[in-house]
Amino acid sequence: MLKLIARRLLQMVLIMAVVSLILFVVFDSDKFKKQIATAELGGFSVAAMSDHDYQKWLKDKGLDVPVYERYAQWVGGLLQGDFGKSFEKNAPVSKVMGERLLNTGILAFWVFALMIPLSLIFGIVAGMKEGSFQDRSVSFIAVFTTSIPEIATAILLTVFIGLGLGWLPAKSAMTGGWNSVELILPVLTLVLYDFGYVARMTRASMAEVMTSQYIRTAVLKGIPYARVIMRHALRNALIAPFTVIVLQLNWLLSGVVVVEVFFQFNGFGKMLLEAALFGDVYVIQAATLVAVFVAVLSQIISDVGYTFLNPRIRFS
Amino acid sequence: MTDTTMPAPRLSPMQRLKRPKALIVLSVLMVIPLVAYVMFGEALARAGLREIVLIPAVPATLILYALAMSSWRESWVAILGGTLVFFWVFVAVSVPFLPLLDPNKPIQPFAPPGTERGDITFWLGTDLKGRDMLSRMLWGCQRVLVWGVTATAVAYVVGCIFGLIAGYISGIWDEIISFISNVLLSFPVMVLFILILNYLGPSGFNIVIAVTFASAPAIMRIVRGLALDNKTRDYVFAAQTRGEHPFRIMVWELLPNVRGPIIVDACLRLGYTTVAITTLTFLGLGLQPPDPDWGLMIKEASNLMVWQFSYMLLIPALAVSSLILGFNLMADGLREMSLRD
């Protein structure tokens, strides 16, 4: 078990090293240096700049050093906990990213806090009686909500709840300080999109458990139905959904981009897009590493948790 | 003398068309003109062929729809999904022949749905530049469908090639391919899209590349699993004994035999790709203006948060949702039918 975790972690470090090297080389091209210059100084002044001035600007930014030297410096800094400096914000990356990650973390917390109970209850109710009315209606709702892409869900919620009824603010830019009310629509969008998938997985797992022999035995023994569900069925039925839910962390990191951009919520996803469009290498590096880290970590947690919950599974 | 030989069974025209060859010909007739029309529109227009290209696609689409409906009769989910998908495909192939206003011509900005202006009626209103929404919505499905189908198809070709190699030949190739796909799979999809498209620059062809990078590893895993499962079957051994080339075994023997799960997955993936293209275009990394596109329509109207003009956001949102619902229902129905057999 420990060996497995160690191997996965080692693989993760390897992947991160490869990825960060590729990113460094890619963003070292002249095209991207020009992109940064254009984004910072404006198109006109870059076009009017003499070659000498441009070289001086590169030197100011520390971009004239060869790429391998910069990479070595960056790795050295990383080992000391220094992610480098953002070109766009002119502040340390760790500070910029810390704020954004905290915002996205709060968003993610509420998404999971709503999505997990909702999808589990729907899935269990549907899986209890396969083919019944409740099963069909839950399955239909689940297909329907997952079929509407996040961008469309965001639009529908904003237009009807935000603009039509005027109950909630349509944007979540939080210009006047932190405002939890502005968080409701982004959270709802993500929950609506994601809960159907988890509910369907729970339903499938529950339906499978309900056909097993020990449930039939328990029912035939005359144990009250509620007790059969709570004590016997759920224990086994919730193993599969657990892994699915942990893997949703990975999904959330990419799903959050469009929602944050649409609602203008200052989170991790919006930062990633802005940094990519600006050419802010160090921010992109750090954000990509965080994303890969979370993705691989969630995979490890789900694998380890799965073996822990279901002792019949053994990894060789 | 009685004739003992059985007469060849008479097939109705419908049944003849349901044979694989006919289906492939019909699908090619439906897709290729559409792809050519969208991707090489300017070259075709110079040759004066732009309108003519799409003519064979219209009957092909209708025949395919009729065939699909008659063979999916047992599953109403598949019927519903197929109808939604074929509706948009039909719109895509026939939109140049429909009596619509020019989707790129500004006429009257901010006209709400149902406005009449002289002898023109804007059934769905106009957008903030004064272009007809109905016409933009119908034209928009062309680009989404063409780039979505192309990107999925390319991702499938790449994924199948590597999956077959990894599964059938295995050994060192399997190790290498699996490591590369693990690297790609450890990215959140959107991060990968943003990085690739930011590097290559936003355009339709680059979306195809980005989708291939993001989807091919997952497809490769599926195909690899299926190939591993199938390569110990008798028909593969028989082919090996006949001395067939491994390439021939992979493409002609293995691939047709594992098509069931692949087709269902392709339907789902078409939906994901459509979402991805719309989302990327909304983020400004995808298809470029001025031609109509659903993601672009959302992007242009997304700063205009007023109830009165919310139809500009609702129309593309509902259009893209209906197409994706169609793909997902179709996949569900096909899976249901394949489990029943």
Side-chain angles (χ1 to χ4, degrees):
Chain A
M1 198 70 216
L2 277 175
K3 225 171 123 185
L4 179 87
I5 298 174
R7 226 186 69 188
R8 293 289 287 274
L9 285 174
L10 196 75
Q11 206 178 22
M12 180 177 80
V13 173
L14 195 66
I15 290 173
M16 282 178 166
V18 171
V19 165
S20 60
L21 189 62
I22 292 174
L23 284 179
F24 246 100
V25 174
V26 163
F27 280 99
D28 192 58
S29 64
D30 288 335
K31 191 182 133 207
F32 274 99
K33 286 179 182 166
K34 272 262 156 59
Q35 188 182 335
I36 301 172
T38 314
E40 195 180 284
L41 307 168
F44 272 122
S45 47
V46 172
M49 229 177 191
S50 68
D51 198 44
H52 178 73
D53 285 344
Y54 183 62
Q55 291 304 331
K56 191 166 163 285
W57 179 84
L58 283 182
K59 197 167 179 152
D60 285 347
K61 290 284 159 190
L63 285 170
D64 55 340
V65 211
V67 63
Y68 50 86
E69 220 169 280
R70 270 204 305 146
Y71 185 64
Q73 267 176 15
W74 180 77
V75 171
L78 194 62
L79 293 178
Q80 292 164 12
D82 176 16
F83 282 98
K85 210 170 163 194
S86 159
F87 291 129
E88 188 185 4
K89 307 269 178 350
N90 208 11
V93 171
S94 45
K95 187 167 162 281
V96 175
M97 200 169 65
E99 284 168 17
R100 299 301 191 97
L101 268 178
L102 183 70
N103 283 351
T104 298
I106 296 170
L107 183 69
F109 171 78
W110 285 110
V111 169
F112 279 94
L114 271 175
M115 190 263 289
I116 294 173
L118 198 68
S119 54
L120 288 185
I121 291 171
F122 270 96
I124 290 164
V125 166
M128 258 164 30
K129 276 205 196 103
E130 216 182 340
S132 63
F133 172 72
Q134 64 219 36
D135 179 22
R136 278 157 185 273
S137 36
V138 168
S139 297
F140 186 76
I141 294 171
V143 175
F144 201 77
T145 52
T146 34
S147 291
I148 303 178
E150 288 151 318
I151 179 78
T153 317
I155 288 173
L156 293 174
L157 287 176
T158 319
V159 166
F160 289 115
I161 300 179
L163 302 177
L165 299 168
W167 289 350
L168 295 168
K171 291 286 174 205
S172 315
M174 315 252 173
T175 37
W178 182 261
N179 183 356
S180 301
V181 179
E182 296 188 357
L183 207 61
I184 298 178
L185 281 183
V187 167
L188 265 185
T189 307
L190 288 165
V191 169
L192 267 182
Y193 181 71
D194 199 34
F195 103 95
Y197 178 67
V198 183
R200 288 182 84 187
M201 290 291 159
T202 316
R203 179 207 160 270
S205 155
M206 187 72 187
E208 200 192 321
V209 168
M210 290 306 282
T211 57
S212 63
Q213 297 289 339
Y214 72 89
I215 293 295
R216 206 163 64 165
T217 314
V219 172
L220 290 178
K221 259 164 55 182
I223 300 174
Y225 193 64
R227 212 175 124 112
V228 173
I229 299 286
M230 297 301 282
R231 295 286 294 274
H232 297 76
L234 283 190
R235 284 199 181 176
N236 276 313
L238 291 182
I239 294 173
F242 165 78
T243 57
V244 176
I245 287 170
V246 175
L247 289 178
Q248 294 309 304
L249 260 180
N250 187 2
W251 162 80
L252 196 71
L253 272 188
S254 62
V256 91
V257 178
V258 59
V259 171
E260 284 181 359
V261 172
F262 185 84
F263 288 106
Q264 295 171 3
F265 180 71
N266 283 317
F268 176 79
K270 191 159 163 264
M271 177 192 77
L272 178 69
L273 185 73
E274 283 166 357
L277 295 178
F278 192 94
D280 208 343
V281 197
Y282 296 111
V283 177
I284 298 174
Q285 285 281 7
T288 310
L289 291 191
V290 168
V292 172
F293 179 74
V294 171
V296 178
L297 198 69
S298 64
Q299 281 166 15
I300 296 177
I301 293 175
S302 94
D303 281 358
V304 171
Y306 195 61
T307 41
F308 199 69
L309 293 171
N310 189 354
R312 279 174 301 179
I313 305 284
R314 281 280 171 264
F315 285 103
S316 53
Chain B
M1 275 287 283
T2 48
D3 189 6
T4 49
T5 53
M6 289 279 282
R10 277 268 175 83
L11 290 171
S12 72
M14 273 297 250
Q15 279 164 326
R16 273 193 213 181
L17 284 171
K18 269 187 200 169
R19 284 180 299 188
K21 259 186 204 162
L23 282 182
I24 291 171
V25 170
L26 279 174
S27 321
V28 166
L29 270 181
M30 176 174 83
V31 174
I32 298 295
L34 194 57
V35 172
Y37 185 84
V38 173
M39 287 188 196
F40 310 108
E42 274 141 39
L44 285 172
R46 253 180 274 125
L49 288 170
R50 194 148 197 210
E51 306 295 306
I52 305 165
V53 171
L54 279 179
I55 291 176
V58 179
T61 312
L62 290 176
I63 295 172
L64 267 179
Y65 177 62
L67 290 176
M69 289 305 107
S70 77
S71 51
W72 295 346
R73 253 172 314 187
E74 41 190 310
S75 161
W76 68 271
V77 177
I79 295 262
L80 186 60
T83 306
L84 280 173
V85 172
F86 273 101
F87 169 72
W88 284 116
V89 177
F90 182 72
V91 167
V93 295
S94 64
V95 73
F97 311 115
L98 297 177
L100 291 169
L101 296 167
D102 184 343
N104 289 331
K105 191 175 149 209
I107 304 171
Q108 179 188 353
F110 296 105
T115 311
E116 285 180 42
R117 184 174 187 256
D119 50 351
I120 318 167
T121 310
F122 302 111
W123 293 109
L124 294 179
T126 57
D127 69 359
L128 61 172
K129 286 189 183 144
R131 298 166 296 190
D132 183 40
M133 287 294 281
L134 176 69
S135 148
R136 277 180 85 70
M137 177 187 79
L138 295 182
W139 277 94
C141 82
Q142 241 186 10
R143 295 220 291 180
V144 171
L145 273 175
V146 165
W147 291 114
V149 169
T150 316
T152 317
V154 173
Y156 258 89
V157 170
V158 174
C160 281
I161 291 173
F162 285 111
L164 285 171
I165 292 174
Y168 183 73
I169 300 178
S170 43
I172 181 78
W173 289 106
D174 188 16
E175 295 282 328
I176 297 172
I177 294 171
S178 293
F179 179 76
I180 296 174
S181 78
N182 274 341
V183 171
L184 288 174
L185 280 173
S186 58
F187 278 94
V189 189
M190 238 340 147
V191 177
L192 198 61
F193 277 142
I194 290 175
L195 291 177
I196 293 176
L197 283 174
N198 189 44
Y199 177 54
L200 297 173
S203 84
F205 284 102
N206 292 339
I207 284 192
V208 173
I209 297 173
V211 168
T212 305
F213 268 102
S215 304
I219 298 167
M220 180 248 122
R221 275 199 178 176
I222 297 172
V223 177
R224 176 178 170 271
L226 291 168
L228 277 176
D229 179 31
N230 270 261
K231 78 174 178 183
T232 50
R233 300 280 174 91
D234 286 342
Y235 70 90
V236 176
F237 287 139
Q240 282 166 348
T241 318
R242 283 200 297 274
E244 283 183 14
H245 191 266
F247 176 76
R248 200 186 145 81
I249 297 179
M250 283 192 272
V251 176
W252 289 104
E253 309 281 349
L254 269 175
L255 206 52
N257 275 295
V258 298
R259 66 179 185 278
I262 294 184
I263 290 174
V264 173
D265 182 68
C267 271
L268 284 177
R269 217 163 273 285
L270 268 174
Y272 298 151
T273 312
T274 314
V275 177
I277 291 181
T278 312
T279 309
L280 287 170
T281 311
F282 165 72
L283 296 177
L285 290 166
L287 307 172
Q288 295 300 304
D291 280 348
D293 175 84
W294 294 338
L296 217 55
M297 289 162 78
I298 295 175
K299 182 180 158 69
E300 285 169 351
S302 66
N303 288 322
L304 198 80
M305 285 290 171
V306 190
W307 168 244
Q308 202 188 342
F309 300 122
S310 57
Y311 64 90
M312 290 181 203
L313 285 169
L314 280 180
I315 290 165
L318 291 177
V320 70
S321 305
S322 68
L323 178 62
I324 289 150
L325 185 67
F327 281 130
N328 286 358
L329 289 179
M330 212 161 92
D332 255 27
L334 288 178
R335 190 189 297 135
E336 205 178 288
M337 279 189 285
S338 72
L339 286 179
R340 209 175 289 162
D341 296 339

